[in-house]
């Protein structure tokens, strides 16, 4: 009994959420939705009541699993995931979600949080996969053909990454004998496989497109919830196991640049935000790659504030989609008149994302850029500055401008439902409060923070960068160079499997068919020739169908007998 | 500004604050003014540099402007190659 109590009581909060997901299915609809909001809030209090320790150790197949490791790195991620879960589920109250979606959202958050608190790789793997399976239901809940196929592609990527993770884990465990989930590094056995798995899940360049493909196809609240978890869990896992791996700096830099261009030409504003999400993941990956204390603090704090402002921006775009039925920049505009509160919250999110002083992005992103500068990575430093100016473009200006301020397209929209406004209000409040009082976040980071974002030079330099980028936008807009919003699909790496692979399949199918036909035809030809010649032997004039005379037969047999006797006794 | 927005919303057909061309011009002039102030601010503070080039006069402002213009032009060029019709993928399936 005591052993059971020891295992169960300080249970991983993620497991409580998964249990909650099962309960949510049994509750009546309305109760289930509120339950999904309250449970994460309750678990935040639970999390703060515990000290840093390893809880929930159990023995499994001769391995000691640490199902609940609470330290400074896992606590900050667990906390922000719980906040994101509560806010997402609050927002979902305005989206009329059914309880199955509520349950999926809880299980998804639960799997992610349980994986964050996992002290060993087996527990990590199991909960990572639970989160993956639960998340796809947030996409399929849209119940459209597009959502279904996008969900399938998403699942192929995610499960694929899971299989690679499992393979890496097996190689690693069999070589080292340890299942502990700590520093791995590229040189460890299985290290490359595990990095690849985390890389797919954190949308590394070329394996990023599941993100932009699937997230905007999810339900209105589903996209908000999805944006917070999977990729940031992968960032957590990278920070835990690959801090200071230099190649990540360069991968992150590429990640921080190329999606910006897509974010500028993409028409679907929720998809714009997923490209922008990819850029911010790039910042975090650079921070992890640099691996100094300030860089890791920067990566972790940026993950935290990014979850908040990205959710806020996606919430505002979700409200627009709910009220107008579209999220295409070319079909939107002038909504500030009818959705002023949504517009105001969206602007707070946009300013936070752009990292203006007094808003949350400012106090986190700059730590990563400073770390790059301190370590002398001048190319990386320039790339990150460029990406910062780029973020102002697509998240800071483009999103609010095209939805709320550009030419009125005459949508008869209402303001967003109250629960959505409340969720946006809380997210906006958190963005501002973290921006104004960065110490609130800094004290919870994995390393002690010796960094002050509010120095005169930093504030002025950041404002110079951003305002002159804004000036460039204004000038380009005034002289009509800024690309107008037109409907269309932009090709990304998904082309290779959606069109390229399809073409390859059709091509090979056709050629295999032709090949088969040639082989079959010639085989049939040969066989029929054999049959024909056999027929010739056996038909009326054939040698086999002649009727020879009895006497000549006896002569043949006697001579054969003679031959045999001769051979035997010679 | 939010109160203003709400007042305007009461009468739906009334011209909105943002519909007024003069207000848009005001916003644009404000951006110009802020940029001018920030550009001149270079004289009045002590720089903290990581490298040598970031000590150049108004480095951040000039870099921000040039890279932004480059970004937009780059995006326009990329669009020529990457953009397809809206239902490009739908028709194939």
């Amino acid at each position: 009994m005591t052993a059971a109590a020891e295992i169960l009581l300080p249970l991983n909060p993620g497991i409580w959420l998964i249990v909650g997901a099962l309960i949510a299915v049994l509750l009546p609809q309305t109760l289930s939705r509120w339950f999904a909001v309250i449970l994460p809030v309750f678990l935040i209090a639970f999390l703060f009541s515990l000290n840093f320790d390893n809880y929930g150790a159990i023995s499994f197949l001769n391995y000691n699993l640490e199902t609940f490791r609470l330290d400074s790195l896992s606590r900050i991620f667990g906390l922000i995931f719980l906040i994101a879960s509560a806010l997402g589920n609050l927002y979902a109250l305005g989206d009329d979600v059914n309880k199955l979606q509520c349950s999926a959202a809880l299980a998804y958050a639960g799997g992610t949080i349980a994986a964050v608190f996992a002290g060993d790789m087996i527990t990590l793997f199991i909960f990572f996969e639970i989160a993956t399976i639960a998340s796809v239901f947030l996409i399929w809940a849209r119940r459209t053909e597009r959502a279904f196929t996008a969900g399938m592609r998403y699942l192929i990527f995610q499960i694929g990454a899971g299989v690679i993770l499992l393979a890496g884990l097996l190689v690693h465990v069999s070589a080292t004998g340890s299942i502990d989930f700590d520093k791995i590094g590229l040189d460890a056995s299985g290290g490359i496989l595990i990095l690849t798995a985390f890389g797919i899940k954190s949308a590394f360049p070329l394996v990023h497109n599941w993100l932009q493909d699937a997230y905007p196809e999810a339900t209105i609240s589903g996209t908000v919830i999805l944006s917070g978890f999977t990729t940031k869990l992968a960032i957590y896992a990278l920070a835990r196991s690959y801090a200071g791996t230099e190649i990540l700096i360069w991968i992150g830099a590429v990640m921080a640049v190329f999606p910006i261009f897509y974010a500028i030409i993409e028409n679907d504003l929720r998809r714009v935000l997923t490209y922008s999400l990819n850029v911010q993941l790039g910042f975090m990956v650079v921070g992890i790659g640099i691996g100094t204390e300030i860089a890791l603090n920067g990566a972790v704090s940026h993950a935290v504030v990014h979850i908040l402002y990205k959710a806020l921006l996606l919430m505002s775009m979700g409200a627009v989609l709910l009220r107008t039925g579209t999220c295409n920049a070319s079909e939107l505009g002038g909504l500030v008149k009818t959705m002023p509160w949504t517009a105001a919250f969206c602007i707070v999110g946009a300013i936070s994302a752009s990292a203006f002083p007094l808003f949350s992005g400012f106090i986190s992103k700059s730590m990563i850029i400073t770390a790059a500068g301190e370590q002398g990575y001048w190319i990386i430093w320039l790339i990150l500055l460029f990406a910062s100016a780029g973020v102002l473009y697509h998240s800071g200006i483009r999103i609010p401008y095209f939805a709320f301020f550009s030419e009125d397209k005459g949508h008869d929209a209402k303001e967003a439902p109250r629960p959505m406004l409340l969720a946006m209000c809380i997210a906006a409040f958190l963005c501002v409060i973290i921006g104004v009082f960065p110490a609130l976040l800094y004290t919870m980071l994995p390393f002690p923070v010796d960094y002050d974002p509010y120095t005169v030079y930093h504030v002025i330099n950041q404002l110079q960068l951003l305002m002159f980028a804004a000036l460039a936008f204004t000038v380009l807009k005034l002289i009509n160079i800024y690309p107008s919003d037109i409907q269309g699909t932009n090709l990304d790496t998904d082309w290779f499997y959606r069109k390229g692979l399809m073409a390859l399949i059709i091509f090979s199918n056709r050629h295999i068919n032709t090949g088969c036909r040639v082989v079959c035809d010639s085989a049939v030809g040969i066989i029929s020739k054999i049959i024909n010649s056999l027929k010739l032997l056996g038909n009326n004039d054939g040698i086999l169908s002649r009727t020879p005379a009895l006497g000549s037969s006896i002569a043949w047999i006697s001579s054969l007998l003679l031959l045999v006797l001769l051979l035997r006794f010679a | 500004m939010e109160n203003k927005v709400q007042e305007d919303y009461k009468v739906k057909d009334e011209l909105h604050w943002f519909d007024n061309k003069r207000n848009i011009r005001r916003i644009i002039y404000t951006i110009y003014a802020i940029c001018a102030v920030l550009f001149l601010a270079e004289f009045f503070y002590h720089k903290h540099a990581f490298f040598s080039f970031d000590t150049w006069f108004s480095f951040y402002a000039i870099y921000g402007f040039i890279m932004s213009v480059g970004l937009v032009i780059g995006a326009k060029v990329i669009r020529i190659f990457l953009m397809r019709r809206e239902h490009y993928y739908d028709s194939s399936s």
Side-chain angles (χ1 to χ4, degrees):
Chain A
M1 274 310 285
T2 49
E6 267 177 20
I7 293 164
L8 286 176
L9 271 179
L11 194 62
N12 186 326
I15 297 176
W16 281 120
L17 276 181
I18 294 172
V19 173
L22 299 176
I23 297 171
V25 183
L26 303 173
L27 296 173
Q29 190 99 306
T30 322
L31 204 60
S32 159
R33 288 187 204 158
W34 280 102
F35 177 71
V37 181
I38 293 163
L39 183 63
V41 176
F42 175 74
L43 288 171
I44 292 172
F46 167 68
L47 193 58
F48 276 107
S49 71
L50 296 171
N51 297 321
F52 289 163
D53 203 349
N54 280 330
Y55 302 97
I58 49 175
S59 202
F60 172 74
L61 300 177
N62 288 337
Y63 287 112
N64 288 321
L65 304 187
E66 289 175 18
T67 58
F68 186 13
R69 168 176 55 184
L70 185 60
D71 61 10
S72 54
L73 184 59
S74 62
R75 188 181 65 177
I76 182 80
F77 273 94
L79 177 66
I80 190 61
F81 284 146
L82 285 170
I83 293 173
S85 170
L87 283 177
N89 291 336
L90 175 62
Y91 180 82
L93 287 174
D95 185 23
D96 266 342
V97 291
N98 59 23
K99 60 183 177 182
L100 218 59
Q101 225 190 116
C102 263
S103 172
L106 277 177
Y108 176 39
T112 312
I113 292 165
V116 159
F117 288 119
D120 64 273
M121 291 197 281
I122 295 175
T123 313
L124 176 87
F125 171 76
I126 291 170
F127 286 114
F128 220 142
E129 294 314 296
I130 289 177
T132 297
I133 307 281
S135 63
V136 78
F137 288 97
L138 297 174
I139 301 168
W140 284 342
R142 185 92 177 262
R143 291 172 192 275
T144 59
E145 179 69 26
R146 270 175 85 107
F148 178 74
T149 50
M152 286 308 286
R153 289 191 295 272
Y154 167 83
L155 211 53
I156 290 168
F157 266 91
Q158 295 298 312
I159 299 287
V163 172
I164 296 171
L165 177 62
L166 182 63
L169 194 155
L170 292 174
V171 172
H172 187 76
V173 172
S174 64
T176 62
S178 155
I179 59 163
D180 292 346
F181 181 52
D182 276 306
K183 177 108 184 119
I184 298 173
L186 270 186
D187 300 330
S189 36
I192 294 175
L193 282 173
I194 298 175
L195 180 70
T196 309
F198 292 158
I200 294 172
K201 298 224 181 217
S202 54
F204 277 9
L206 302 182
V207 284
H208 64 282
N209 199 242
W210 58 268
L211 176 71
Q212 291 84 8
D213 183 18
Y215 281 12
E217 301 300 339
T219 60
I220 287 172
S221 57
T223 307
V224 172
I225 293 167
L226 283 167
S227 75
F229 295 96
T230 303
T231 49
K232 258 63 73 181
L233 173 58
I235 291 292
Y236 158 81
L238 285 174
R240 174 78 77 182
S241 51
Y242 289 92
T245 306
E246 199 180 354
I247 192 170
L248 290 181
I249 301 176
W250 300 97
I251 293 175
V254 175
M255 253 169 115
V257 171
F258 87 90
I260 302 177
F261 293 93
Y262 278 96
I264 287 186
I265 57 174
E266 175 60 49
N267 191 31
D268 180 342
L269 292 179
R270 294 207 301 172
R271 189 159 275 131
V272 169
L273 287 172
T274 57
Y275 278 111
S276 157
L277 199 165
N278 214 167
V279 172
Q280 302 308 320
L281 294 171
F283 275 88
M284 296 169 216
V285 171
V286 169
I288 294 165
I290 294 171
T292 57
E293 288 195 357
I294 181 174
L296 287 172
N297 274 340
V300 173
S301 56
H302 198 48
V304 171
V305 304
H306 169 256
I307 287 174
L308 289 171
Y309 70 65
K310 186 63 62 191
L312 174 56
L313 285 168
L314 281 168
M315 283 178 189
S316 66
M317 287 304 110
V320 166
L321 176 61
L322 178 74
R323 290 310 197 203
T324 65
T326 178
C327 225
N328 288 340
S330 56
E331 297 164 29
L332 290 171
L335 289 174
V336 67
K337 299 171 200 173
T338 48
M339 304 179 78
W341 286 104
T342 308
F345 294 135
C346 176
I347 289 171
V348 173
I351 297 176
S352 302
S354 318
F356 273 95
L358 301 180
F359 290 85
S360 59
F362 179 73
I363 63 116
S364 59
K365 202 190 284 182
S366 54
M367 286 168 104
I368 301 172
I369 300 177
T370 302
E374 279 179 355
Q375 298 302 308
Y377 291 107
W378 64 274
I379 298 176
I380 300 292
W381 187 80
L382 283 174
I383 287 174
L384 294 184
L385 274 195
F386 169 56
S388 303
V391 172
L392 174 86
Y393 262 79
H394 50 74
S395 290
I397 298 175
R398 204 162 171 251
I399 295 286
Y401 178 78
F402 285 105
F404 299 107
F405 298 103
S406 65
E407 191 195 340
D408 194 341
K409 302 291 194 302
H411 285 287
D412 191 18
K414 279 193 297 184
E415 183 55 278
R418 286 225 179 99
M420 289 191 171
L421 285 179
L422 183 60
M424 285 190 259
C425 180
I426 296 171
F429 173 76
L430 290 172
C431 284
V432 176
I433 204 86
I434 292 174
V436 177
F437 303 107
L440 287 175
L441 175 61
Y442 286 176
T443 50
M444 301 188 69
L445 293 178
F447 302 102
V449 177
D450 178 27
Y451 175 75
D452 178 14
Y454 289 106
T455 52
V456 176
Y457 62 85
H458 182 212
V459 171
I460 291 180
N461 290 343
Q462 181 73 2
L463 284 176
Q464 283 177 329
L465 181 77
L466 294 178
M467 286 312 297
F468 274 80
L471 180 70
F473 173 84
T474 315
V475 173
L476 292 172
K477 191 80 195 161
L478 286 177
I479 58 175
N480 272 332
I481 285 187
Y482 194 84
S484 56
D485 281 282
I486 39 179
Q487 292 190 348
T489 304
N490 295 306
L491 303 186
D492 200 335
T493 48
D494 58 346
W495 183 88
F496 289 101
Y497 49 87
R498 293 175 74 176
K499 284 281 182 185
L501 198 61
M502 188 56 87
L504 186 69
I505 289 170
I506 293 170
F507 175 82
S508 37
N509 185 27
R510 194 180 302 139
H511 285 78
I512 288 171
N513 267 345
T514 327
C516 275
R517 213 172 300 129
V518 170
V519 171
C520 288
D521 286 356
S522 45
V524 166
I526 291 168
I527 291 169
S528 51
K529 266 183 192 158
I530 292 173
I531 290 172
N532 278 339
S533 42
L534 285 177
K535 268 185 186 165
L536 278 177
L537 289 177
N539 68 9
N540 287 342
D541 302 327
I543 195 163
L544 293 178
S545 51
R546 285 180 206 153
T547 338
L550 188 64
S552 65
S553 293
I554 292 169
W556 271 108
I557 292 168
S558 329
S559 37
L560 265 176
L561 184 64
L562 199 65
L563 187 69
V564 170
L565 286 172
L566 271 173
L567 284 173
R568 174 66 183 82
F569 297 105
Chain B
M1 201 169 78
E2 273 164 32
N3 288 336
K4 178 77 185 148
V5 167
Q6 284 223 312
E7 277 168 29
D8 283 2
Y9 180 47
K10 281 175 194 159
V11 188
K12 212 176 168 189
D13 293 335
E14 197 180 298
L15 211 59
H16 192 268
W17 194 85
F18 285 100
D19 285 334
N20 191 334
K21 285 269 186 304
R22 197 160 11 123
N23 290 329
I24 302 293
R25 225 171 296 137
R26 272 183 199 147
I27 294 175
I28 292 172
Y29 286 136
T30 314
I31 293 175
Y32 291 160
I34 294 173
C35 285
V37 170
L38 285 169
F39 198 75
L40 295 175
E42 279 295 282
F43 293 109
F44 302 104
Y45 72 98
H46 176 70
K47 267 200 163 178
H48 175 90
F50 296 112
F51 315 100
S52 56
F53 53 82
D54 52 342
T55 55
W56 296 346
F57 190 80
S58 269
F59 166 78
Y60 289 85
I62 296 164
Y63 186 74
F65 188 86
I66 292 176
M67 293 310 276
S68 300
V69 173
L71 173 63
V72 170
I73 292 170
K76 281 191 86 147
V77 173
I78 286 175
R79 186 186 231 175
I80 299 170
F81 299 103
L82 294 182
M83 193 147 223
R84 297 291 184 274
R85 66 201 146 72
E86 175 87 358
H87 298 287
Y88 176 69
Y89 287 117
D90 297 346
S91 56
S92 69
S93 56

